[in-house]
Amino acid sequence: MNTPAEVVVDGVDFTKATKGYNDLEINLKSRPVSDKVTIKNCRFGKGNTNNSISIFGMPEGGVINIENCDFVLSGKSEAVRISNKLDSHQFTINVKDCNYNYPDGFIGHKEYIGFFLFEDCTTTKAPDTAKQFSGLKINCDNVTYNGTKVQEVGVGTRTVGKQFACMCYDNGTLSVTDESHFPTFTFK
C-alpha cells in the first residue's frame, strides 16, 4: 500500500495464499507516508517466502498498531519487518493479543528468526543502519510465541521461541547484536 492516508487492514485471512513474497507492504514508495497504520484481526500463513508485514517507513511520531493477529511463519520470515527509510528518530509500535509460531521441524535462517526484523532498506553501511532504530518504542501486550507469553527481546540468541527481534544490514550478511541499537521494548 502506498498512500499518505491512514492505513487500516481489518479481518483479512492471508492463510489461503500458497505463494508470495510479503503479505503486506506499507509505505514502500509513498511520499508522504502514512502516519498511522492499524492491522487487526488478521491471520497470516506460511505461504509467503518473506515477511507477513513489511513497513518501510514512518514519519516522526507515527504509530503502528497490530492487534489480535495470528502468524504462522515460513522458514525464512518474521511477522513484521520494519525499515526506517525516513530516518525517523521516534515512532511507536503497539502489538497486542498476537501469537506467532513456526512450522514443526523449523530449521531456517538462525539470524532471521523472531517476531520483528529491523532492516533498513536505504543503506548497507554498518554505523548508519545500526543507529536507525534506537529511538523507536515497541509496546507488547500479551504477545505469545506458540501460546507462551513473550517477556524479553532475546537479542542474539538465534533460538526459535527465544529471539523475539533481530536486526541486520540490508545486504543481510551481518546481524546487529548490540542492544543499544535496538528500540526500547516493554512487555505486559
Side-chain angles (χ1 to χ4, degrees):
M1 288 178 210
N2 292 306
T3 177
E6 178 180 351
V7 172
V8 177
V9 180
D10 187 358
V12 179
D13 184 350
F14 293 95
T15 62
K16 306 285 189 243
T18 57
K19 283 186 173 182
Y21 189 65
N22 297 318
D23 289 323
L24 286 174
E25 289 185 355
I26 298 170
N27 290 340
L28 177 60
K29 295 184 180 183
S30 54
R31 292 277 185 175
V33 297
S34 303
D35 66 349
K36 185 171 183 188
V37 173
T38 300
I39 301 164
K40 61 183 180 178
N41 305 313
C42 294
R43 296 178 61 217
F44 297 89
K46 58 184 178 179
N48 66 29
T49 59
N50 205 36
N51 305 300
S52 299
I53 301 167
S54 291
I55 300 176
F56 291 94
M58 291 295 287
E60 296 291 341
V63 177
I64 300 168
N65 296 305
I66 303 170
E67 305 169 9
N68 194 35
C69 291
D70 187 64
F71 300 87
V72 176
L73 304 175
S74 73
K76 299 176 183 176
S77 66
E78 285 76 28
V80 181
R81 173 189 171 167
I82 300 293
S83 291
N84 193 0
K85 73 177 187 177
L86 301 177
D87 196 21
S88 298
H89 298 287
Q90 188 214 1
F91 59 86
T92 302
I93 304 171
N94 301 304
V95 183
K96 183 175 183 180
D97 298 329
C98 292
N99 182 64
Y100 75 104
N101 62 24
Y102 286 96
D104 290 340
F106 168 75
I107 297 173
H109 295 34
K110 296 285 185 178
E111 291 187 24
Y112 290 96
I113 58 173
F115 189 89
F116 280 107
L117 165 64
F118 298 95
E119 181 177 4
D120 181 56
C121 63
T122 60
T123 181
T124 57
K125 295 178 183 174
D128 297 336
T129 300
K131 294 178 182 175
Q132 292 208 355
F133 301 103
S134 61
L136 308 185
K137 293 180 181 162
I138 316 292
N139 301 310
C140 300
D141 183 356
N142 193 36
V143 178
T144 58
Y145 170 75
N146 207 20
T148 301
K149 197 169 192 177
V150 177
Q151 297 291 323
E152 61 185 53
V153 181
V155 173
T157 60
R158 298 180 183 179
T159 304
V160 174
K162 291 186 180 181
Q163 180 170 284
F164 183 66
C166 60
M167 184 185 297
C168 69
Y169 307 117
D170 195 43
N171 62 10
T173 59
L174 182 61
S175 63
V176 179
T177 56
D178 181 344
E179 289 191 52
S180 70
H181 298 304
F182 276 71
T184 300
F185 285 83
T186 59
F187 294 95
K188 294 200 270 186

